[in-house]
Structure formats: C-alpha cells, structure tokens
Amino acid sequence: MEKKSMDWENIGFSYIETDKRYVANYKDGKWDDGALIDDANITMNECAGVLQYAQTIFEGMKAYTTEDGRIVTFRPDLNAARMADSAKRLEMPVFPEERFVEAVVETVKANEAYVPPYGSGATLYIRPYMFGINPVIGVKPADEYQFRVFTTPVGPYFKGGAKPITICVSDFDRAAPHGTGHIKAGLNYAMSLHAIMTAHANGFDENMYLDSATRTKVEETGGANFIFVTKDNKIVTPHSDTILPSITRRSIMYVAEHYLGLEVEERDVYFDEVKDFAECGLCGTAAVISPVGKVVDHGKEICFPSGMEKMGPTTQKLYETLTGIQMGQIDAPEGWIKEIK
C-alpha cells in the first residue's frame, strides 16, 4: 500500500484521523464479533456510564516500519493483559486478550498507509480503549460497553534530539494506597491534569510524585515510570503497588540485564537518595526514555552528574538498544515483536 504524503518529521504528537477503526460491543453478557468501520465519531446517550462515572480504560502502543520494511508492533500481548487487569478493577467485562491483539493487527493493517516510513522518526500510535455506553444514573457499573481501537500517526517525540528535562516534586498525590494507581484508567489521568498544568506554570516539564502514605518514596510521573542509574552503573526502578506497570520499563530492565549485562533492581526508592544517583530518566510508550537533568524540591535543586545537555551514557545505551529492537536493527527476544501481516 502506498504511504500517505505527509511531512512525517513535522506532524507532531497530536490526533490525525485515519481511515479505519475497530469497534466491538458488549451487550447481554457477551461481546459481538467486532468490525472495522469508517466513522470516527461515537454516538451515545447523555446518561452513558462513561460520562457520568468515568468508567473508561485505555492502552497506548505503537506500530513501526522496521529497517527491512516490515510493519510491526511491540509486545501487544502485555497491553492486552494490562487492559484485562484494568477492566477487572473497574468492574468492566474483559475483552479477550487474543482478540485484543487481533483487533490491533487488523486496525494497523487497515491503516497501513499511515505507518510512517523507516528513518523518519515518526510512528503510528495505537489507542485501544473501552467504556461504559448505556445510561447509568445510580452509582454502579454499566451493563453495556464498547471496545475500540484507533490509530494516528505521530512525529518524533524528540525533534532535534533528547534534551534533559527539569521536574519538580509535586505537592499533589497521584494515587492512594489500595486505589487505582496500578491500572490505566482515564480517571487517573484526569486528576493529574491540574498538577501538570501547575508544574508547567511554574516552569517545570513534569512532576515527581511521592507516595501518598509517607511522602518519602519516589513513585512515578503522571504518565511515565522512573529509572535511575547509580554511580556504579546499576539500574534501579521504584517498586510500588500504586505505580502503573509500564511495559517500556519492564522491557528496559530486561534489556539492561540481558543485553547490556547490567545489574538491575526494583525496590523502594526513597527521595532522600535521589541526590546520589548518576542518571535519571522517565520511561513510557511516547518517548521510550526522557532524560531528567534536574529535580527541584520546593526551591532545592538536585542536579544529576549526567547534566542538562544530553542523555547520560547508560541511559543512552538503554534507549538505543530498546529502539534498535523495536526498529528491527537488533534481534528481539522471542515474542517481543508482532509483525502486521
């Protein structure tokens, strides 16, 4: 299929409508067969469960054109499993994991013309999501749901290279113990909007959230997990039941240990020890790794030795290795790459 004519390197990270999207409906206790449709709009009742009580979950992933011209996506089975966990927590029916992967493949295949060419730095962002669609006025789960997948091409996250960012310790809490911080629900992101806009207004790029129970341990940002590099080159990432289990982070930790031969550790990371790390990064689907150069705690600056000009050397190796796997330049572990056939 011939590619769409776009300025791939300058399309930015915003929604561009593509030709097809996948839709499946849950009614009377079962999912229908699902289908690809043309219409990007959704019609629902004013009292739909998603509008009244925010009963919605989602995933984020990407499709890439590899060096040898294949179109692939990265570890969609883990997105399927995470969405199943999210559904259970919000009392929603699980969309079968194998059907989730099939729906992603179908949607990407139908929008193949929008998958950016290799070398452009751009990718096709994939958004599977599910929501309660029937009228619900009492506080209870919906009875009917819609599962959808849409795609949109997005430009390079780091245009001109990855510059380290400055983040601040947030006065807001991202998630409560025994709450919903470990699932990918829209409600978690809605409550983070004021916090991130406050950070931006104060001149910061992102927030560092601490645990809400003791405010002594590092958790994550509004949309990414932390990784730290110690001065003796160990990779450390925070452990918490209220952190969203990032697929990118999980992959980075594997790459660090099995490809780069580094020691890795997932544990409680106390804020008091942040000053002792050599490098810091935020990891997630959009950027893979965003380097952090400085953390500001109410006026007190913590500057990492890696500096404010470029990624630290270990973070750079992690970034290059993982993106090399995604783009087909480096052999992937078995099952990591799903080819769109």
Side-chain angles (χ1 to χ4, degrees), residues 82-97:
R82 188 168 65 181
M83 184 171 239
D85 289 340
S86 296
K88 292 170 187 174
R89 180 62 177 82
L90 289 194
E91 288 295 329
M92 303 169 78
V94 170
F95 192 72
E97 293 180 32

Side-chain angles (χ1 to χ4, degrees), residues 173-192:
D173 291 330
R174 178 188 163 272
H178 313 296
T180 57
H182 63 293
I183 66 169
K184 204 164 177 68
L187 55 91
N188 291 336
Y189 293 80
M191 59 71 59
S192 74

Side-chain angles (χ1 to χ4, degrees), residues 143-331:
D143 298 312
E144 299 174 13
Y145 295 85
Q146 193 165 97
F147 169 83
R148 298 175 72 104
V149 182
F150 72 79
T151 59
T152 183
V154 294
Y157 196 85
F158 295 125
K159 190 179 176 183
K163 289 290 186 181
I165 62 175
T166 299
I167 65 177
C168 63
V169 176
S170 181
D171 289 325
F172 299 98
D173 291 330
R174 178 188 163 272
H178 313 296
T180 57
H182 63 293
I183 66 169
K184 204 164 177 68
L187 55 91
N188 291 336
Y189 293 80
M191 59 71 59
S192 74
L193 296 177
H194 178 64
I196 189 61
M197 294 305 290
T198 301
H200 290 170
N202 290 324
F204 302 109
D205 298 294
E206 254 294 359
N207 285 300
M208 172 183 279
Y209 288 106
L210 304 180
D211 73 294
S212 60
T214 70
R215 295 195 61 80
T216 61
K217 293 180 280 190
V218 176
E219 294 234 309
E220 61 164 88
T221 70
N225 285 181
F226 279 101
I227 57 166
F228 298 99
V229 182
T230 67
K231 290 175 181 174
D232 59 356
N233 226 26
K234 179 191 295 184
I235 310 301
V236 177
T237 189
H239 170 78
S240 170
D241 292 336
T242 58
I243 289 176
L244 183 74
S246 164
I247 293 163
T248 304
R249 181 186 70 164
R250 179 171 170 177
S251 303
I252 285 171
M253 298 298 276
Y254 183 93
V255 162
E257 183 176 10
H258 297 279
Y259 281 67
L260 301 181
L262 302 175
E263 187 177 348
V264 301
E265 189 174 24
E266 181 179 353
R267 61 169 173 81
D268 287 343
V269 174
Y270 287 88
F271 181 70
D272 286 348
E273 63 181 302
V274 170
K275 65 183 185 302
D276 300 321
F277 290 117
E279 300 174 36
C280 174
L282 309 179
C283 54
T285 300
V288 182
I289 303 177
S290 300
V292 176
K294 186 189 299 182
V295 178
V296 180
D297 178 20
H298 300 87
K300 181 181 178 182
E301 295 187 352
I302 299 171
C303 300
F304 295 102
S306 51
M308 292 297 296
E309 294 303 314
K310 59 183 180 180
M311 280 190 181
T314 300
T315 305
Q316 185 73 40
K317 286 178 186 175
L318 290 168
Y319 176 82
E320 290 174 351
T321 306
L322 186 57
T323 55
I325 289 169
Q326 291 172 335
M327 293 294 177
Q329 300 160 329
I330 298 172
D331 288 340

